[in-house]
Amino acid sequence: MTDSNKTATLTVHGETYELPVHSPTAGPDVIDIRKLYGDAGVFTYDPGFTSTASCDSTITYIDGEKGELLHRGYPIDQLAGKSHFLEVCYLLLYGELPQAKDLEQFETTITRHTMLHEQMQYFYRGFRRDAHPMAIMVGVVGAMSAFYHDSTDISDPHQREVASHRLIAKMPTIAAWAFKYHTGQPFVYPRNDLDYASNFLRMCFSVPAEEYEVNPILSRAMDRIFTLHADHEQNASTSTVRLASSSGANPFACIAAGIACLWGPAHGGANQACLEMLEEIGSVDRIPEFIERAKDKNDPFRLMGFGHRVYKNFDPRAKVMKQSADEVLDLLGIEDNPKLQVAKALEKQALEDPYFAEKKLFPNVDFYSGIILEAMGFPTSMFTPIFALSRTVGWVSQWKEMIADPQNKIGRPRQLYLGETTRDYVDIENR
Ligand code: CMC
C-alpha cells in the first residue's frame, strides 16, 4: 500500500515532520497521520470526515467527479443490467463473481435461512401497531443476538459466516413482518421456491384470504432496487457499523446500529422525505416556489433526493432508477403519474438553476426510488426499511472485512475541546 518514496511534509510549531503517503489502486493519495500525535503532539480536525479515510477497503469504489460506482471493480450499471441481487451479494462478500455451482450453493444457503425464530413473533407484538417499520427493524435486528447465540462469537470465522448469511436471508422477512405488523395483517412465512425479491414482495402483499401473484417485471424492478442500494463504501451507516464493531460488539448489534443511522433524512430516510416533498409540491406550477425555498439560507428546506457528499457530477444509481421508474409505471399502466411528472420537471428546473449547478447538486438514488416503490404498493414508511434490507449485504461485507483486518483497532476519534478548563465545584447555596 505504501509508496516508500512518497511523503508529505508538515510544519507545526516550527518543527517539520515527514508523513508517509499511501497510494490506492484508484482515488486520491492518502496522508498517513497515525503517528502524528505521538511525534508532534497535535491532532487533525475534520468534522464530518470530509477529508479523512477511516480504513482501507477492497469492496466498493466511488469516483464522485466521474459519477462512477464500482463493486469489486464492476460498474453498477452493468451489475444492475446484467446481474441480480444475490450474485451481487456474493461478489461483495467474497470479492469475485461466482462460478455457477458456487452461486447455486449460495442461493440455497440464503434461501434456507429466511425463516425467523418462531418466538420472534412475540417480540414483534411488544411494539405499538402504529410503530414506524424502521423502529421495529432496529429493535428486531438488535434482538437477533438474543435468538441466535451460536453466531455471535466474532473470533470464530464460521460463526461470522453464519451470521452474515442469517442477516442477508432474514432481513426481507424482518422488513416484511414489520410492514405486516404495522398494517395489522398476519405475518406471511417465506417460501423456498421463490427468488429473493419475489419472496419479499409476497411476504409483504399476500394475505391468507388471497394469494399474491408475483409479477416477474415487478420482482425484477424490486431486485434492481436491492442491487442499486447494496453498498456505498464508507457512508454514515456503514461507518456506524464499523465503529460499533470496532469494540468487538456482536454482528446483530452492529447492523442494528447501522439501521438506526440509516433512518435519518440526510441518509436513507431521504427516499421517504423525497416522496413526501413531491406530494407537498403537488403540481408542476409550484416547483419554482420550492426551488426558491431550497436556495434560501434562512429556510431549512432542502430538495430531498438532491445532492451527495461524494457525487459531484451525477449519481449513476439515479440514472438506472429513473429508467426503472418509467418501466414500472408503464407496466402498471399508470400514465400521467403526478409525482413522476413533478419529479421530472423539478429535476429539469433545478439542473438549469445556477445555484444547483454551482454547488454540484444532482438527483441521487433516492429521487426516483420512492415513485417506483409507491407504484408497487408500498407506503412511504416502508421505503427506508427496503433501503436497510438492501444495504445489509454492504454492512455485512464491510464488517467481515474489518474483523479479518489485523490492523483493526477500536475507533476512538479525538476532539477540539472548547469547554471550560479546570474549575472548583461550588456548593449549591453559593452559585
Ligand atoms: N437542497 C438545497 N441545497 C443543498 C442540498 C439540497 N438537497 N444539498 C446541499 N445543499 C447545499 C447546502 O446548503 C450547502 O450550501 P452552502 O455551501 O451555501 O452552505 C452546499 O449545498 C453543500 O451542502 P452540504 O450539506 O455541506 O453537503 P454535504 O456533503 O454535507 O451533504 C447531503 C450531502 C446528501 C447530506 C445533502 O446534499 C442533503 O442534505 N441532501 C438532501 C438529503 C438527501 O437526498 N440525502 C440522500 C443522500 S443519497 C442516499 C444516501 O446516502 O443515503
Side-chain angles (χ1 to χ4, degrees), residues 266-268 270 297 302-306 309 355 359 364 366:
H267 194 6
K297 282 272 149 263
R302 282 185 169 201
L303 282 192
M304 299 315 285
F306 249 78
R309 170 63 61 78
Y355 172 94
K359 294 190 188 301
N364 59 49
D366 290 324

Side-chain angles (χ1 to χ4, degrees), residues 214-222 327-328 331 376:
V214 185
N215 181 319
I217 299 180
L218 287 191
S219 81
R220 175 77 193 119
M222 189 78 254
E327 281 170 19
V328 168
L331 166 84
M376 284 175 165

Side-chain angles (χ1 to χ4, degrees), residues 65 307-308 311-313 354-362:
E65 295 301 326
H308 199 274
Y311 294 120
K312 299 299 171 200
N313 192 334
Y355 172 94
F356 294 91
E358 276 159 25
K359 294 190 188 301
K360 300 187 172 176
L361 300 169
F362 296 86

Side-chain angles (χ1 to χ4, degrees), residues 299-346:
D299 188 330
F301 175 77
R302 282 185 169 201
L303 282 192
M304 299 315 285
F306 249 78
H308 199 274
R309 170 63 61 78
V310 186
Y311 294 120
K312 299 299 171 200
N313 192 334
F314 66 93
D315 179 341
R317 303 167 301 172
K319 265 188 163 177
V320 185
M321 207 63 97
K322 185 178 183 180
Q323 196 189 332
S324 242
D326 279 329
E327 281 170 19
V328 168
L329 295 192
D330 192 42
L331 166 84
L332 296 174
I334 305 176
E335 284 156 20
D336 304 330
N337 175 289
K339 286 187 201 107
L340 185 63
Q341 281 179 357
V342 171
K344 284 187 173 171
L346 177 60

Side-chain angles (χ1 to χ4, degrees), residues 43-223:
F43 299 144
T44 56
Y45 181 61
D46 185 17
F49 303 107
T50 53
S51 301
T52 298
S54 59
C55 61
D56 47 60
S57 181
T58 61
I59 301 172
T60 292
Y61 174 70
I62 302 172
D63 185 325
E65 295 301 326
K66 278 204 257 171
E68 184 176 67
L69 167 61
L70 309 177
H71 292 320
R72 305 285 190 183
Y74 297 102
I76 189 64
D77 51 331
Q78 290 185 26
L79 293 173
K82 296 182 181 177
S83 183
H84 59 92
F85 183 64
L86 280 187
E87 186 177 60
V88 172
C89 288
Y90 186 101
L91 175 69
L92 289 168
L93 283 170
Y94 304 112
E96 295 296 339
L97 287 171
Q99 298 296 322
K101 68 171 183 4
D102 298 328
L103 181 60
E104 195 187 321
Q105 193 186 339
F106 179 68
E107 288 181 338
T108 305
T109 305
I110 296 300
T111 306
R112 294 277 155 80
H113 274 296
T114 48
M115 281 176 64
L116 294 185
H117 192 293
E118 193 64 5
Q119 216 167 330
M120 287 187 89
Q121 292 198 15
Y122 301 107
F123 191 78
Y124 274 85
R125 296 203 164 105
F127 289 97
R128 279 173 56 143
R129 280 282 175 194
D130 58 357
H132 193 288
M134 277 301 272
I136 300 179
M137 283 187 78
V138 173
V140 170
V141 173
M144 284 175 80
S145 42
F147 287 92
Y148 300 103
H149 299 185
D150 58 345
S151 50
T152 52
D153 178 0
I154 59 163
S155 64
D156 178 349
H158 174 68
Q159 292 203 25
R160 297 207 294 268
E161 187 79 351
V162 175
S164 308
H165 292 157
R166 280 187 169 144
L167 278 158
I168 295 165
K170 294 183 197 308
M171 207 56 92
T173 316
I174 291 172
W177 284 17
F179 176 44
K180 285 296 193 195
Y181 188 77
H182 182 71
T183 44
Q185 291 180 0
F187 298 134
V188 175
Y189 288 93
R191 253 183 37 194
N192 286 359
D193 59 326
L194 294 177
D195 63 70
Y196 194 85
S198 305
N199 205 16
F200 174 64
L201 286 170
R202 186 183 161 274
M203 284 191 288
C204 287
F205 296 120
S206 173
V207 288
E210 193 173 327
E211 190 46 47
Y212 174 77
E213 289 298 325
V214 185
N215 181 319
I217 299 180
L218 287 191
S219 81
R220 175 77 193 119
M222 189 78 254
D223 189 88

